């Protein structure tokens, strides 16, 4: 596709924890295929990737993600004793601020919106202006996991509660295409990353021993993939796993209803079994999966034609 023929794309990035790293691959595929992303909207992890991309900092974010292993991911979790959640989420935000210099949504390179929920007033909250980090932190506040954001007498939590695939919140322009990424698809794909890989060297072995010792201490709150028998299902048989699976089931139904009203021309479905919520150490495989799936969806659209 020649530069003069670039098609504009309004991109919607769904919620789904670490599977959202596939969003990076989707964006790379769209750009490599000659599409221009002119607006973006996201819920939860979709707001993170969308905001970072709109700030022009996606390459730096990708580099950081690819540097993470299980131990580093665990180290980013700032646990807290609270009835509202057990992770504060401030440590990750501070890490990201080191390579994302934009502070306000109005200063981003393209129109951006992040979806959150005012849980007390049962209202969807759309951040399309104001502080970028407040918007992202509110959008990722998974109920009972990440502590909510208190803002203007409102209790804000994860946008995926009411709008996990905010196809109705992205800014549209005349002649653009709608592209959407669903991270909770009940589909299989040959590029699914394996979550049961064998450690290949002494460093990984020592890391595994370290994490096993922590897992024994925190028990049912362990956020990563479970035992081998549990990996046959995307549901881990612990407190966090069951809570997460319930949340995903709710998201799936809400996303289906949204898709009945807004049908994207380019629709990418990332398998729900490809990773669990906190598997951010699987960046390389998830990013490649997103790129592969995006290329398949783009091929389908281009072969079908307008």
């Amino acid at each position: 596709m020649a530069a003069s023929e670039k098609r504009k794309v309004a991109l919607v990035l769904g919620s789904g924890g670490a599977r959202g790293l596939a969003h990076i691959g989707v964006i790379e595929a769209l750009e490599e295929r000659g599409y221009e992303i002119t607006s973006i909207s996201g819920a939860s992890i979709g707001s993170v990737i969308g905001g970072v991309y709109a700030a022009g900092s996606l390459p730096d974010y990708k580099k950081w993600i690819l540097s993470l292993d299980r131990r580093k991911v665990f180290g980013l979790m700032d646990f807290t004793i609270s009835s509202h959640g057990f992770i504060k989420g401030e440590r990750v935000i501070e890490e990201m601020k080191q390579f994302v210099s934009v502070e306000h949504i109005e200063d981003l390179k393209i129109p951006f919106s992040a979806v959150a929920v005012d849980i007390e007033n049962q209202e969807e909250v759309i951040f399309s202006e104001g502080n970028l980090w407040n918007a992202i932190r509110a959008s990722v506040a998974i109920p009972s996991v990440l502590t909510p954001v208190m803002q203007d007498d409102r209790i804000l939590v994860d946008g995926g509660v009411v709008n996990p695939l905010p196809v109705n919140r992205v800014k549209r322009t005349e002649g653009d295409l709608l592209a959407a990424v669903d991270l909770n698809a009940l589909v299989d794909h040959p590029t699914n990353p394996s979550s049961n890989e064998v450690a290949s060297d002494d460093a990984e072995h020592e890391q595994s021993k370290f994490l096993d010792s922590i897992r024994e201490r925190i028990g049912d709150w362990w956020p990563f993939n479970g035992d081998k028998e549990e990996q046959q299902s995307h549901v881990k048989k612990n407190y966090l796993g069951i809570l997460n699976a319930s949340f995903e089931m709710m998201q799936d139904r809400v996303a289906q209803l949204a898709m009945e009203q807004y049908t994207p021309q380019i629709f990418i479905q990332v398998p729900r079994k490809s990773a669990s919520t906190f598997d951010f150490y699987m960046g390389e495989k998830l990013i490649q999966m997103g790129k592969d799936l995006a290329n398949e969806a783009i091929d389908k659209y281009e072969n079908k034609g307008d």
Side-chain angles (χ1 to χ4, degrees), residues 38-272:
T38 53
S39 60
I40 198 161
S41 183
S44 198
I45 185 62
S47 74
V48 176
I49 306 297
V52 170
Y53 173 76
S57 301
L58 191 61
D60 290 328
Y61 179 82
K62 178 182 177 180
K63 181 179 179 180
W64 175 61
I65 284 294
L66 292 178
S67 73
L68 300 179
D69 55 24
R70 294 190 192 204
R71 187 168 187 165
K72 289 179 180 177
V73 172
F74 190 82
L76 288 169
M77 296 181 185
D78 40 3
F79 292 101
T80 182
I81 300 175
S82 169
S83 59
H84 300 120
F86 61 92
I87 298 175
K88 291 186 289 185
E90 296 172 3
R91 192 172 296 165
V92 172
I93 295 294
E94 291 305 313
E95 284 284 330
M96 291 173 58
K97 284 182 178 180
Q98 294 183 29
F99 51 82
V100 181
S101 59
V102 179
E103 289 283 340
H104 295 92
I105 295 174
E106 296 91 330
D107 297 328
L108 297 173
K109 297 179 181 296
I110 59 174
F112 165 78
S113 63
V115 179
V117 178
D118 178 349
I119 199 70
E120 187 170 16
N121 295 310
Q122 300 182 15
E123 294 177 346
E124 185 177 2
V125 178
I126 311 300
F127 289 94
S128 56
E129 58 183 22
N131 187 279
L132 173 64
W133 300 110
N134 288 346
I136 289 175
R137 179 60 184 84
S139 186
V140 301
I142 304 172
S144 298
V145 180
L146 270 75
T147 55
V149 171
M150 308 300 180
Q151 180 176 318
D152 300 328
D153 297 323
R154 298 184 298 183
I155 304 175
L156 303 180
V157 299
D158 195 312
V161 171
V162 297
N163 202 350
L165 194 61
V167 288
N168 60 329
R169 299 303 182 186
V170 68
K171 184 176 181 179
R172 303 299 303 275
T173 56
E174 184 177 356
D176 67 7
L177 303 172
L178 179 63
V181 187
D182 177 15
L183 300 179
N184 295 295
L186 295 175
V187 297
D188 291 318
H189 192 274
T191 59
N192 276 4
S194 169
S195 58
N196 189 36
E197 294 185 344
V198 178
S200 59
D201 54 37
D202 292 340
E204 289 189 10
H205 179 65
E206 289 302 314
Q207 176 180 301
S208 178
K209 288 171 59 179
F210 168 78
L211 292 172
D212 284 345
S213 68
I214 296 176
R215 181 181 180 182
E216 290 178 2
R217 279 179 274 174
I218 64 176
D220 286 346
W221 294 97
W222 181 247
F224 301 122
N225 281 313
D227 296 327
K228 182 175 180 180
E229 61 270 19
E230 292 180 352
Q231 294 169 4
Q232 304 306 313
S233 167
H234 71 281
V235 180
K236 296 191 294 297
K237 310 306 189 291
N238 58 26
Y239 177 86
L240 184 57
I242 293 172
L243 178 66
N244 186 55
S246 302
F247 188 50
E248 288 177 343
M249 184 183 300
M250 177 188 65
Q251 288 181 312
D252 189 44
R253 180 55 183 156
V254 174
Q256 287 180 21
L257 293 173
M259 294 290 288
E260 291 174 5
Q261 294 182 292
Y262 302 86
T263 303
Q265 286 92 347
I266 300 175
F267 184 41
I268 297 98
Q269 293 181 287
V270 176
R272 184 178 297 177

Side-chain angles (χ1 to χ4, degrees), residues 19-52:
R19 292 187 298 278
L21 298 182
H23 291 324
I24 299 173
V26 169
I27 290 171
E28 291 179 342
L30 285 168
E31 292 188 330
E32 289 171 6
R33 297 288 291 268
Y35 291 86
E36 179 186 2
I37 299 169
T38 53
S39 60
I40 198 161
S41 183
S44 198
I45 185 62
S47 74
V48 176
I49 306 297
V52 170

